[in-house]
Amino acid sequence: MQAMQATVSRYDGETFSGAVLTDTGIELPFTVHAVADTPVRHLRVGQRVRLETTGTGADLTITKVEFATRL
């Protein structure tokens, strides 16, 4: 599991799926499963999020999307 931050590039509030743009410029899609066990119910384009991922390169998959918070 890897943790990283990204910016929401698209989001569908009906299907709870969308995509994020990583800080390295790669767009990664996510499905409802990535937000299912989180408090996330709505995201907006441009919002910063924290991700948990598995895999590398072309097999990189988002497993969890959470709100990015500052400590």
Side-chain angles (χ1 to χ4, degrees):
M1 176 182 68
Q2 294 175 302
M4 66 175 72
Q5 289 193 355
T7 304
V8 176
S9 57
R10 23 185 190 100
Y11 182 70
D12 182 335
E14 291 183 19
T15 63
F16 298 103
S17 62
V20 296
L21 187 62
T22 68
D23 292 342
T24 57
I26 299 169
E27 187 173 62
L28 295 172
F30 64 89
T31 66
V32 64
H33 303 292
V35 296
D37 293 329
T38 72
V40 174
R41 295 298 170 258
H42 180 75
L43 294 168
R44 65 183 186 287
V45 172
Q47 185 172 5
R48 293 290 288 173
V49 291
R50 185 174 42 241
L51 309 174
E52 289 182 9
T53 62
T54 59
T56 59
D59 294 323
L60 188 64
T61 303
I62 297 174
T63 57
K64 191 173 196 178
V65 176
E66 298 181 295
F67 297 115
T69 57
R70 295 182 187 193
L71 298 177

